[in-house]
Amino acid sequence: MDRRDFLRAVGLTAGVSGAAAFLVACNANEQPGSGGQSVAVSAGGTLYILTDQTSQHLDPAKSQNLAITTIGLIHRKLTAWKTSADGPATVVPDLATDTGRASADGKTWTFTLKDGQKLADGTPITSAEIKYGIERSFDAAFSGGLGYHKTLLEGGSSYTGPFKGGDLASIETPDPKTIVFHLARPYGDWPWIVSMPAFAPVPKGKGTDASYDSTPVCSGPYQVAAYTKGVSIRLTRNPNWDAKSDPARSGLPDSVVIQLGQETGVVAQRLLAGSGNDATAFGSSFVNPAQLAQVRSNPAAKTQLVTSKSGALAYLALNTKRGPLANPKVRQAFQYAVDKTAYQIASAGSADLAGPIATTLITEGIAGREVFDLYPAPPNGDVAKARQLLAEAGFPNGLDNLDFPVSTANNDADKAQALQAALQRAGIRTKLRPLDDDAWTAVVTGNEGSYDLTLGSWQPDFPSANANIEPLFGTSEIGNGGYNESRYSVPEVDALIAQAQGTVDPAAAGKLWARADRRILQDSPVVPLIYTRNSFLHGSKVGDFAIGEFPAYPNYLQIGLAK
């Protein structure tokens, strides 16, 4: 998940707004991952979601939602996520009876559907509806959603969708309850892939025009009753939703109203005032630092604040193809030259607000993650060690004029200035190049690679180290819109990624990913900085509003209301 990870999570892919700037958290005396107040919830009532965005994609083919947020309220998939504050997220059966059965070579996956499932319009959910929904996502007119399956399915790279390309042969439906996927290569994380939006059922013949984005046929607890662009989306109960078969959704509220185009600062004020419907509402945007300070000083308000234990990995990417940065020892010097405490303060005003210091590439809350630190140093760095490594690499006088493009979105400029000052202590002199966010993205994901270092932030699209490692360090992710910002390409690592991806047993795969984490950091293509924390506010009558170990967002599917 790229630096727009927040927008993806809540189902929005428009340009970065002010909401995305607020990567903050409560202080260490509060309880990350949980709210300060226990609210007894029951069925009924209307839940309000307040967002500053003016639109959301409800077409599963177009959605980049995480499984536990908006899209999960209206669409079920073959599998779903179970989140917990006490451990990593796990994959569970949703429309399927299990999380999939793999062939011996890991290339064929078979799922059996549960009995008696229906869409909101009464259409029985069979393997045909799942297959058609997936095939739709390949059509250019309905693109934009998470697309891992498009290259993993055999023949997917050249498939153009059901309207032009007919059936995709690598998805077989031998009977109404069975669906079989033939992959181009072994892939142990396929059970996570089928939890993504594109695997929601769509009745054949539906979704042939753009209106499906606001009027989809739903399979989750709710269906779309009204969608007024820029104003609101109203969800009401899906009478055909089978609660007994759904392990991921409580479906407690009678209805859900998403209020669009709300000003972020006003949202926080409304939630703290708690009048009228705002008592049963929550904000989908991070709480900004100034308002967070107000919340912390108000004991009553603190009960409405929920904070993640950690979150996206923030890092400094070093272009391994550029000049002195091609030398691993030079890159290792950066590990000691950075001041992570200064970065924390620049991010959110203090270390406890920003999030814990990072030393690994795999984020907290991901199964198989191992904790280690290849470059132990004080939080503010070890300048002498950095200078020593630079001298050993042949640069006793340091480095000059390193190009440091930085986005003007968020507060990245402040963070970059803090790093610039820290690097200069070790004789590493950089030249900041402020760019608007689109221009910055074009530079760091383009094919030229015309920069030396840059800031990045990443939270995986699904709860596997696979989604940490390959997007940032696989050779295939260099340029062409990929987020391998360090331009890191090592055949041994690519082979290790392929081996880990092809390992079906999660425990065995986890060991391989942890090995990849260490191996990559030996080359120091990036400097892990912090795991950013996120804070959210909810109304006083909102309960079961919790953030698990992963991802760093509340689980919309479990929220209920007090009577």
Side-chain angles (χ1 to χ4, degrees):
M1 182 175 285
D2 68 19
R3 66 197 314 274
R4 295 180 177 83
D5 58 347
F6 169 72
L7 298 179
R8 283 186 171 193
V10 296
L12 311 162
T13 52
V16 174
S17 72
F22 304 134
L23 300 175
V24 296
C26 66
N27 77 0
N29 294 322
E30 293 157 5
Q31 298 297 314
S34 63
Q37 179 184 24
S38 177
V39 176
V41 300
S42 59
T46 298
L47 173 69
Y48 290 83
I49 303 174
L50 312 180
T51 176
D52 66 340
Q53 298 300 307
T54 57
S55 65
Q56 295 202 12
H57 288 306
L58 304 183
D59 183 338
K62 294 184 175 183
S63 175
Q64 294 192 12
N65 246 193
L66 295 182
I68 62 167
T69 53
T70 306
I71 206 74
L73 294 171
I74 59 174
H75 295 301
R76 295 178 68 179
K77 284 80 70 180
L78 289 173
T79 62
W81 302 5
K82 198 80 169 177
T83 61
S84 169
D86 302 319
T90 57
V91 63
V92 296
D94 192 0
L95 290 172
T97 58
D98 57 26
T99 58
R101 303 177 299 283
S103 60
D105 63 1
K107 292 177 65 175
T108 301
W109 286 84
T110 302
F111 295 81
T112 301
L113 299 183
K114 294 172 181 174
D115 292 326
Q117 307 299 302
K118 293 182 180 180
L119 287 158
D121 67 353
T123 302
I125 298 175
T126 72
S127 55
E129 283 68 43
I130 304 289
K131 175 180 168 69
Y132 175 67
I134 300 165
E135 290 175 337
R136 265 187 81 250
S137 70
F138 284 84
D139 190 283
F142 307 108
S143 63
L146 293 174
Y148 290 86
H149 60 287
K150 294 181 181 180
T151 55
L152 287 172
L153 283 165
E154 194 173 75
S157 297
S158 59
Y159 181 61
T160 57
F163 312 115
K164 300 175 184 176
D167 287 346
L168 180 58
S170 56
I171 306 176
E172 293 183 341
T173 54
D175 60 63
K177 288 188 61 179
T178 306
I179 187 164
V180 182
F181 300 99
H182 298 279
L183 308 186
R185 56 190 172 92
Y187 201 79
D189 276 331
W190 190 249
W192 289 114
I193 302 302
V194 300
S195 72
M196 293 184 178
F199 289 79
V202 177
K204 198 154 189 178
K206 299 283 187 179
T208 57
D209 56 52
S211 66
Y212 201 76
D213 204 20
S214 57
T215 58
V217 181
C218 301
S219 51
Y222 304 99
Q223 58 184 333
V224 183
Y227 189 155
T228 304
K229 296 287 186 182
V231 179
S232 68
I233 303 170
R234 182 173 182 82
L235 308 178
T236 55
R237 287 199 182 278
N238 170 6
N240 290 321
W241 174 63
D242 179 14
K244 297 187 296 296
S245 74
D246 193 333
R249 304 163 183 82
S250 65
L252 289 175
D254 284 332
S255 59
V256 178
V257 175
I258 303 170
Q259 294 186 352
L260 303 169
Q262 306 300 303
E263 187 178 339
T264 304
V266 175
V267 164
Q269 295 172 7
R270 286 172 52 185
L271 292 172
L272 293 175
S275 61
N277 293 333
D278 291 341
T280 61
F282 73 89
S284 68
S285 303
F286 307 147
V287 183
N288 73 54
Q291 289 176 324
L292 187 59
Q294 296 175 5
V295 174
R296 296 171 68 192
S297 65
N298 183 340
K302 284 168 62 175
T303 64
Q304 296 173 230
L305 184 72
V306 179
T307 297
S308 64
K309 292 179 180 178
S310 69
L313 171 69
Y315 58 88
L316 178 67
L318 309 173
N319 190 337
T320 59
K321 306 302 182 187
R322 290 269 288 194
L325 294 177
N327 186 329
K329 188 163 283 190
V330 169
R331 299 196 301 268
Q332 289 167 1
F334 280 78
Q335 302 285 351
Y336 297 97
V338 297
D339 183 339
K340 296 184 181 182
T341 299
Y343 182 86
Q344 289 173 314
I345 293 170
S347 296
S350 69
D352 62 321
L353 294 178
I357 284 174
T359 61
T360 68
L361 306 174
I362 299 173
T363 51
E364 295 183 327
I366 297 291
R369 175 179 182 264
E370 294 182 3
V371 180
F372 62 89
D373 187 356
L374 296 185
Y375 307 99
N380 62 348
D382 184 338
V383 174
K385 179 69 171 177
R387 286 185 175 274
Q388 174 193 333
L389 287 168
L390 286 173
E392 291 174 1
F395 299 94
N397 298 320
L399 306 172
D400 285 315
N401 296 319
L402 295 184
D403 180 41
F404 192 168
V406 59
S407 171
T408 53
N410 307 328
N411 59 334
D412 279 5
D414 293 338
K415 301 172 195 174
Q417 287 173 0
L419 290 176
Q420 181 184 47
L423 295 172
Q424 190 162 341
R425 302 174 308 171
I428 301 172
R429 291 165 287 276
T430 63
K431 185 176 181 180
L432 296 182
R433 179 159 52 116
L435 299 168
D436 68 58
D437 196 64
D438 287 340
W440 174 86
T441 301
V443 167
V444 301
T445 68
N447 294 333
E448 292 185 8
S450 54
Y451 59 94
D452 292 309
L453 62 159
T454 193
L455 284 175
S457 175
W458 193 264
Q459 180 160 270
D461 286 321
F462 56 99
S464 168
N466 183 358
N468 282 104
I469 299 298
E470 185 192 29
L472 297 184
F473 304 104
T475 297
S476 63
E477 304 305 308
I478 297 174
N480 298 310
Y483 276 84
N484 184 340
E485 295 156 8
S486 58
R487 311 273 157 166
Y488 180 75
S489 178
V490 174
E492 178 189 347
V493 171
D494 287 335
L496 189 53
I497 289 172
Q499 182 184 1
Q501 288 181 335
T503 301
V504 174
D505 177 64
K511 292 184 182 301
L512 290 169
W513 289 121
R515 182 175 147 198
D517 194 339
R518 287 178 180 268
R519 175 62 186 85
I520 293 165
L521 277 175
Q522 288 174 11
D523 291 333
S524 188
V526 302
V527 179
L529 296 170
I530 65 172
Y531 305 113
T532 57
R533 284 180 174 152
N534 302 336
S535 287
F536 299 85
L537 277 171
H538 63 82
S540 59
K541 293 185 178 180
V542 175
D544 291 343
F545 189 94
I547 300 176
E549 283 197 2
F550 180 92
Y553 304 96
N555 188 334
Y556 292 18
L557 313 188
Q558 293 295 320
I559 295 172
L561 302 172
K563 285 188 175 179

